[in-house]
Amino acid sequence: KQEVTQIPAALSVPEGENLVLNCSFTDSAIYNLQWFRQDPGKGLTSLLLIQSSQREQTSGRLNASLDKSSGRSTLYIAASQPGDSATYLCAVSDDYKLSFGAGTTVTVRA
Amino acid sequence: DTEVTQTPKHLVMGMTNKKSLKCEQHMGHRAMYWYKQKAKKPPELMFVYSYEKLSINESVPSRFSPECPNSSLLNLHLHALQPEDSALYLCASSQEWRPDGGGYTFGSGTRLTVV
């Protein structure tokens, strides 16, 4: 059974600092990995989708890397802003379901 | 249109009420999902519809009844719910129901409170 872990569970940084969020998974036979953002009480917003054949994906200030063999993905957010404060979830697709991590809650202090 | 639209955004219902949640997408996705999310927990899968047919029911109590009237619409009918059913209900869709079926698009959710 796939286990997805996100460390740290919470992170607080001053504005302008770069963010590094980690996601690890136990079974490397995945098809893709998706990073989501969730604001309190709201739905999930897809940030980046990395296919298993890809090493990284970029969108604006966001960059996500994937190392399938070691079961790891990292989400980098450059030059953080208070508006980046949210919970970030990673999810892997290795079967007919998504397996989610518990999320990292980020607070960016102005 | 790249969105999944859920209505209503908020719902308060009594334990004897019957209500429905609605989800709509116009991206041509053939897989649609219902998830339940409790506070500070990741989403948990409830149902999967593929090509308008129920493909997975994750042992969800019968007081939750899903329906997929067409390829764009997904409903969740609620009846005789319990207070512990209070949660954020999320709808999602993907191109196909398969592990490499593309990424998931989620709606903004319905915040359900059972009193």
Side-chain angles (χ1 to χ4, degrees), chain B residues 84-101:
Chain B
E84 58 265 28
D85 296 322
S86 299
L88 181 67
Y89 287 84
L90 295 164
C91 176
S93 69
S94 66
Q95 285 182 326
E96 298 275 344
W97 179 53
R98 60 179 199 229
D100 61 347

Side-chain angles (χ1 to χ4, degrees), chain A residues 15-19 37 48 57-64 75-85 88 108:
Chain A
E15 182 177 4
E17 193 163 302
N18 295 334
L19 288 164
R37 168 188 171 135
L48 292 166
Q57 275 283 6
T58 298
S59 176
R61 294 185 295 114
L62 276 57
N63 174 278
L75 178 66
Y76 300 90
I77 304 177
S80 62
Q81 305 167 357
D84 294 327
S85 297
Y88 293 81
V108 180

